[in-house]
Amino acid sequence: MDANQPFPPHLFRRQDESTDAEFYHHPRFVTHIDDQAIAAVTQLYREYFPPNTDLLDLMSSWVSHLPAEVPYRRVVGLGMNEAELKANPRLASYVVQDLNQQPALPFQDQEFDGAAICVSIDYLTQPVAVLRELARVLRPDAPLVITFSNRCFPSKAIAAWHHLDDRGHLALVQQYLQAAGGWHGIELLDRSPRPPGRSDPLFAVVARVAPR
C-alpha cells in the first residue's frame, strides 16, 4: 500500500529529485526564519512541552528553539546533517536519518512525551508514514507541534506545498494527521508576530496522540 494514501503521488514530486543526503551534505549553520518567528516557535514549546519530559526534535539541526529556561529530561534529535546535530547543545543524543528514504523511526513504542517538527514538514515525501510512526513513539495524549512559515528551499519542497497558500498548508497538514490516524485534538494556529508584514509569518498544527 502507498504510504501516502489517500493522497495522489504527484503531490509529493519535487523540482530537485536528487538524493536528500547530497543536498544536505554540507552543514548550514543558519536559521531559516527570523528572530520574531523563532520566538513564536519557542513560545509554543513553552505552552505544549512541560518541563522534565522526554522530547523528540524531528528533522532537527544545530538549534532546537526550545526555551532556554525550561529543563527537559532528554531531547533526542533526528536530522540529515551530523555536523549540525553534533553542534546542537540541547540534544542528549541524535540520529542521522533520511525520512524520505526511511520513514520508520528507530525508537521504542511510547518513548517520548512530545515531539516537534520545525519548518520542515514541507520537505517530507512520505508524511503520512512519518506521522503514523510519530503516533507510535509518543505516549498517549503527548503533543506534536508542527510549525512552518512561508519560506523554504523551493527545489526540495513538495509540489502540493507550492500550490497552496498559508491556510492551504494548515489544512494539508491536518489532512496528513487524519490520514495517519492515531491523533486527536488537532489545532490549526496562526502565531505570526504582530503587526503583520514586519517579520516572517508563523503557523502551527498541534495534535495529540489519541488514547490507545
Side-chain angles (χ1 to χ4, degrees), residues 48-60:
Y48 286 95
F49 298 149
N52 302 312
T53 52
D54 300 316
L55 300 182
L56 174 59
D57 184 8
L58 203 66
M59 306 180 79
S60 184

Side-chain angles (χ1 to χ4, degrees), residues 24-59:
Y24 293 104
H25 176 71
H26 297 290
R28 296 176 173 88
F29 292 107
V30 297
T31 52
H32 301 287
I33 48 177
D34 65 23
D35 288 346
Q36 289 176 277
I38 288 171
V41 173
T42 301
Q43 180 57 33
L44 279 164
Y45 293 167
R46 278 192 193 95
E47 295 172 22
Y48 286 95
F49 298 149
N52 302 312
T53 52
D54 300 316
L55 300 182
L56 174 59
D57 184 8
L58 203 66
M59 306 180 79

Side-chain angles (χ1 to χ4, degrees), residues 151-173:
R151 296 171 59 179
C152 64
F153 296 124
S155 65
K156 282 298 185 181
I158 63 165
W161 204 261
H162 286 290
H163 291 296
L164 295 169
D165 61 10
D166 298 326
R167 289 183 178 274
H169 295 154
L170 287 165
L172 179 65
V173 176

